[in-house]
């Protein structure tokens, strides 16, 4: 059979049955080979079990083998590179020797020619051979593979020139035979050496300057004596587990020791109201806290509400410390190990446990309301002469009493200023609304006069100065709407329009003869100023010249002859006078008094002061004046109207009217009788009474620059007396400080108190006596300090 030459990196195997072939090994020696023979019926041998150890170094082959069975495989063995750049000689992964430079010029890395010889039964086993597998334990190997028991003879190529000889002849080295395991004598085994994957062709290497160094590794394998690299993972894992267990055990011991040492003491790092008590016994901690916190809780509590500073008396607010509960809260040792560890580096504030009386606490906080609370201020336009000036909108604020109570209970004992929460009340107008009002209405309105044309060719003129005095703006639907004060316009036009009018006259009583005589009423006709002023508003933004036609209407008398005659022989059954008001407040008092003067209340009819005098706006003749806004001096439209309310309330009180609704001021005002006075607020607070007499009554008012008087005429039914009780439950005022730049009116304040007023009515005809008691509670008016 023709011979096939193997190329580098290619393995050639002979498979012709019953023939011989000449095989040339890597050293150029030609050998005879016979095909493998397998007896019929031979049992397949199990696949060889790879050994974890490297193959033993090659040894010279024994002489005298008879008729060996040879299968030749040619290929490249893996080659290592030494430090000098040469390929290192070592053992291949399958036990074959890795070649360096071949003596015959073959490229380094070419596989050795392998001769496999069959061993006779009874041969001695190789010292590194694997123990045989028990029969039946492994599946038979594929056809053509080596059976256990066959030994391989490895022919190593001749060494490169200058290298030490490897075998006896210096060219070929034979591995010792491995004795076959105990198999049946009639089962010869042939081992197939698998083809080694070819290694990529490398270029020629430069000649080494020094012999190639071959690192064969430790005697027993890559992992060192008795082991491999794969053994290191489990060994390291076991070591880590042991170390981790030791750490956990140590931490557990430390945790237990810390818990034991801390038993009976306050937890480490705990503070109560800013005072450290960690590590102290419960008794020592309580003594320390009582000494330091007790001093704080006996004095006033400094608070801030927005930009206002104030003080609260803890006793008046019903605040005290619950010491047992405070110690229980601070003294429990935490079991959480993380909490115990972090306590070495941090503090934990627990705070005091507070006892609070809800009503007293709310009452103390409400005393701050007069200084803190303010309604939002809408944008508007004011005039300096005839020059419009913008007034920017400003948000209001209100003390959030429930939330402030919770904050005060939590922080009052900390010894620091307590910031109480407020709720902001936004205005409905913006700066843009103010600018639009000036440019579109205010500035054109005072640019020229407005002419009013009446009947009979009577004309009146409204000058820019009058317009500036009467013009104001009110927030409506998120914008600023212009309004004209009807009374200011009427006062300016009435003299000019008088020749076109026939005035009405109300019925009155003439007391000059000693008894009341009715002076009859008379109807009239004249300018309807409400309708005429509305027409003036429509032309304010127009350019000059501007003219408005006056609206006329019948003017019936407000008090008729029939109404006064129904009173019979009237007398003053109730009267009261108050004074002490400022000039601007006097304007509003006069306006309100005018609106109720001459009002007749029929039997069973209810009189409402809010309805009779409202709306109390600039358009209805009221002006800005001093007001008491929640106990704090301020300014507002219709300031002073409450004085008319108080005066009317006392007149109705002594007239025996049935008092239905009234509300005293929150803070006592010294010019009024304590417990017998009434305030008023548009749409919110009213002053109402009912006439339960069998005959009508009439309200008459008299105003002077220093006083206002209200009289009620009618038929007397009751004799009325009033009696005040003592002032009880005094409460002291707080001090509040208003920062510089804020509207501030200093005040010494006044204490709060509770008072009763008992009214006694005796029916003149029947003698029946009825009593009713009214209880009034006044808050203390705060001491107001204005910062410079």
């Amino acid at each position: 059979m023709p011979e096939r030459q193997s190329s580098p990196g290619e393995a050639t195997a002979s498979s012709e049955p019953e023939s011989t072939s000449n095989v040339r090994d890597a050293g150029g020696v030609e050998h005879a080979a016979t095909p493998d023979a397998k007896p019929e019926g031979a049992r397949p041998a199990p696949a060889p079990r790879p050994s974890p150890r490297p193959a033993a170094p090659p040894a010279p082959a024994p002489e005298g083998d008879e008729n060996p069975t040879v299968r030749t495989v040619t290929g490249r063995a893996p080659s290592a590179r030494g430090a000098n750049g040469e390929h290192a000689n070592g053992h291949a992964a399958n036990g074959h020797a890795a070649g360096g430079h071949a003596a015959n010029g073959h490229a380094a890395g070419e596989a050795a020619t392998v001769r496999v010889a069959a061993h006779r039964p009874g041969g001695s086993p190789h010292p590194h051979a694997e123990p045989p597998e028990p029969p039946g334990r492994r599946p038979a190997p594929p056809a053509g593979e080596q059976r256990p028991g066959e030994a391989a003879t490895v022919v190593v190529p001749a060494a490169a020139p200058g290298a030490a000889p490897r075998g006896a002849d210096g060219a070929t080295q034979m591995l010792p035979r491995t004795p076959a395991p105990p198999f049946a004598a009639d089962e010869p085994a042939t081992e197939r050496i698998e083809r080694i994957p070819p290694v990529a062709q490398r270029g020629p290497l430069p000649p080494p300057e020094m012999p190639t160094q071959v690192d064969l590794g430790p005697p027993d394998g890559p992992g060192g004596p008795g082991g491999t690299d794969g053994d290191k993972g489990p060994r390291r894992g076991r070591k880590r587990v042991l170390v981790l267990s030791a750490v956990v055990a140590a931490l557990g011991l430390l945790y237990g020791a810390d818990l034991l040492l801390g038993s009976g003491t306050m937890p480490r790092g705990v503070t109560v109201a800013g005072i450290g008590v960690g590590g102290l016994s419960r008794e020592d901690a309580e003594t320390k806290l009582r000494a330091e916190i007790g001093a704080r809780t006996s004095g006033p509590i400094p608070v801030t509400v927005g930009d206002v500073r104030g003080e609260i008396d803890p006793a008046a607010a019903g605040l005290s410390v619950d010491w047992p509960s405070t110690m229980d809260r601070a003294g429990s040792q935490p079991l959480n190990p993380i909490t115990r560890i972090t306590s070495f580096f941090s503090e934990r504030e627990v705070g005091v446990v507070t006892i609070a009386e809800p009503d007293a606490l709310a009452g103390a906080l409400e005393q701050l309301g007069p200084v803190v609370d303010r309604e939002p201020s809408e944008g508007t336009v004011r005039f300096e002469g005839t020059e419009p000036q913008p007034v920017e909108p400003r948000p209001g604020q209100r003390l959030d009493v429930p939330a402030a109570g919770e904050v005060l209970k939590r922080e009052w004992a900390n010894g620091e200023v307590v910031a109480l929460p407020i709720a902001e009340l936004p205005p409905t107008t913006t700066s843009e609304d103010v600018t639009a009002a000036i440019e579109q209405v205010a500035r054109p309105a005072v640019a020229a006069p407005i002419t009013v044309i009446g009947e009979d060719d009577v004309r009146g003129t409204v000058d820019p100065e009058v317009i500036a005095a009467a013009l104001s703006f009110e927030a409506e639907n998120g914008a600023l709407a212009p309004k004209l004060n009807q009374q200011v316009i009427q006062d300016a036009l009435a003299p000019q329009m008088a020749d076109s009018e026939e005035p009405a006259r109300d019925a009155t009583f003439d007391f000059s003869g000693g008894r009341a005589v009715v002076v009859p009423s008379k109807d009239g006709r004249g300018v309807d100023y409400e309708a005429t002023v509305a027409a003036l508003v429509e032309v304010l933004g127009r350019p000059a010249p501007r003219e408005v036609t006056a609206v006329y209407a019948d003017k019936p008398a407000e008090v008729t002859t029939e109404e006064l005659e129904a009173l019979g022989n009237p007398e003053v059954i109730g009267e009261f006078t108050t004074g002490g008001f400022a000039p601007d407040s006097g304007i509003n008092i006069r306006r309100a008094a005018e609106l109720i003067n001459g009002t007749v209340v029929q039997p069973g009819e209810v009189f409402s002061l809010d309805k009779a005098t409202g709306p109390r706006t600039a358009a209805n003749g009221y002006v800005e004046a001093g007001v008491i806004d929640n106990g704090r001096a301020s300014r507002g439209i219709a300031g002073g109207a409450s004085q008319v309310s108080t005066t009317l309330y006392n007149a109705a009180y002594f007239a025996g009217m049935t008092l239905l609704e009234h509300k005293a001021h929150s803070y006592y005002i010294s010019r009024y009788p304590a417990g017998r006075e009434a305030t008023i607020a548009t749409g919110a607070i009213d002053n109402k009474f009912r006439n339960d007499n069998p005959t009508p009554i009439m309200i008459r008012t008299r105003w002077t620059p220093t006083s206002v008087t209200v009289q009620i005429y009618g038929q007397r039914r009751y004799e009325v007396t009033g009696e005040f009780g003592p002032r009880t439950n005094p409460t002291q005022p707080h001090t509040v400080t208003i920062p510089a730049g804020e509207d501030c009116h200093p005040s010494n304040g006044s204490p709060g108190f509770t008072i009763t007023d008992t009214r006694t009515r005796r029916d003149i005809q029947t003698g029946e006596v009825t009593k009713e008691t009214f209880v009034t509670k006044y808050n203390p008016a705060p001491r107001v300090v204005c910062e410079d």
Side-chain angles (χ1 to χ4, degrees), residues 434-579:
V434 175
T435 302
I438 291 176
E439 299 301 327
Q440 299 173 16
V441 180
R443 203 176 298 282
V446 295
I450 301 175
T451 300
V452 178
I453 303 174
E455 294 180 350
D456 302 327
D457 200 25
V458 174
R459 292 172 179 263
T461 300
V462 183
D463 294 327
E465 291 77 12
V466 175
I467 296 174
L471 180 57
S472 63
F473 292 84
E474 294 181 5
E476 290 183 359
N477 301 321
L480 289 174
K483 303 289 182 179
L484 285 175
N485 188 321
Q486 178 180 324
Q487 190 64 43
V488 173
I489 300 296
Q490 183 173 341
D491 290 346
L493 282 178
Q496 303 179 65
M497 309 299 292
D499 293 342
S500 64
E501 295 181 298
E502 184 179 350
R505 185 181 67 213
D506 293 338
T508 61
F509 284 111
D510 181 5
F511 294 95
S512 60
R515 59 184 296 271
V517 177
V518 176
V519 178
S521 62
K522 178 184 177 181
D523 293 338
R525 187 174 187 277
V527 176
D528 182 348
Y529 280 98
E530 182 177 354
T532 301
V533 169
L536 286 172
V537 172
E538 297 298 325
V539 302
L540 289 176
R542 298 178 187 175
R546 296 171 294 183
E547 293 183 349
V548 171
T549 300
V551 179
Y552 284 80
D554 292 335
K555 294 292 185 81
E558 294 182 1
V559 180
T560 66
T561 303
E562 292 76 18
E563 289 175 332
L564 286 189
E565 290 176 346
L567 296 176
N569 187 19
E571 62 177 310
V572 177
I573 60 177
E575 181 178 4
F576 202 77
T577 300
T578 61

Side-chain angles (χ1 to χ4, degrees), residues 52-54 217-232 235 238:
R53 303 189 181 201
D220 291 335
T228 65
D229 287 337
D231 294 334
K232 292 182 181 179
R235 193 178 307 158
R238 288 192 296 271

Side-chain angles (χ1 to χ4, degrees), residues 7 133 140 143 227 234 244 321 347 360 416 425 430 439 486 512 514-515 528 537 576 579 587 644 661 667 765 773:
S7 63
E133 291 287 342
L244 182 59
V321 179
E347 292 183 348
E416 299 177 353
L425 308 176
T430 65
E439 299 301 327
Q486 178 180 324
S512 60
R515 59 184 296 271
D528 182 348
V537 172
F576 202 77
I587 296 174
V644 175
E661 180 182 337
Y667 307 90
Q765 295 182 356
T773 299

